[in-house]
Amino acid sequence: MKKSVVLTLIAVYILSICVVGYFGLKVKIFRPTVYSEQVVIKSIKNADTGVDYSGSIRTNDKNEKSIRISNPEKKEMTLIFVIDVYPDNTTNKELNMLFGSPDMCEVVQGSPVGGATAQEIIIKFKGSSTVTFTAKDRGDGKNSDTITVSFKNY
């Protein structure tokens, strides 16, 4: 190699060290997006009495969940749904809440229908009815868990 090429390479190398030392390197912290893989309704409790109905949740052959709750007075009942989004490090844990009969229930805690980040969602059911409740992730909307809540009058 010619002497001028070697000297040019050394000069560029030294100059690049000076430029990087003066301006610095921009550090990027890589945080990958983690998508939800599963949405699970873990438990249901009565907000007024504290009764836990989790043991009464039934799953049929089609993997559909249902629960029957005694409500002889046909009065309003407030239930707490504990919902988990897996994996635990999911980037967006917001949920869409869908109701089969939106006029028969009202979200008390969390955001109104359309999204909630709370994992405990309090819903007031009006009277005695059967309501289908679905918690769906807001990421791509592919993962959800549905339960049919029936109130029996005896």
Side-chain angles (χ1 to χ4, degrees):
M1 254 200 248
K2 290 188 176 184
K3 196 180 213 182
S4 62
V5 173
V6 172
L7 290 175
T8 304
L9 288 174
I10 292 173
V12 168
Y13 179 72
I14 292 172
L15 186 61
S16 67
I17 290 173
C18 294
V19 168
V20 169
Y22 180 76
F23 292 108
L25 290 174
K26 185 175 181 180
V27 178
K28 283 189 173 182
I29 299 173
F30 179 67
R31 290 195 178 118
T33 301
V34 179
Y35 296 100
S36 70
E37 295 176 10
Q38 189 176 18
V39 176
V40 178
I41 299 173
K42 283 181 65 173
S43 68
I44 301 172
K45 297 177 192 170
N46 188 322
D48 302 322
T49 63
V51 175
D52 190 355
Y53 299 114
S54 302
S56 303
I57 298 174
R58 303 284 177 240
T59 306
N60 65 12
D61 297 340
K62 298 176 185 176
N63 207 20
E64 298 169 338
K65 293 181 180 178
S66 64
I67 186 168
R68 294 190 66 171
I69 298 172
S70 178
N71 187 10
E73 295 90 28
K74 297 182 183 180
K75 63 178 183 173
E76 289 185 346
M77 186 175 283
T78 305
L79 299 177
I80 302 171
F81 289 80
V82 178
I83 302 168
D84 275 345
V85 178
Y86 294 106
D88 290 334
N89 64 341
T90 300
T91 305
N92 184 0
K93 288 195 171 199
E94 291 185 15
L95 297 168
N96 277 336
M97 295 174 288
L98 308 168
F99 300 95
S101 307
D103 54 326
M104 295 303 295
C105 44
E106 167 191 359
V107 177
V108 176
Q109 180 181 324
S111 347
V113 176
T117 54
Q119 299 307 305
E120 271 193 2
I121 299 170
I122 301 175
I123 302 170
K124 182 182 286 185
F125 292 90
K126 302 171 183 171
S128 179
S129 63
T130 299
V131 178
T132 303
F133 168 67
T134 302
K136 183 181 276 193
D137 73 341
R138 292 188 80 183
D140 55 6
K142 292 180 183 177
N143 304 304
S144 65
D145 198 8
T146 301
I147 189 164
T148 302
V149 181
S150 303
F151 297 98
K152 53 187 178 182
N153 299 325
Y154 50 88

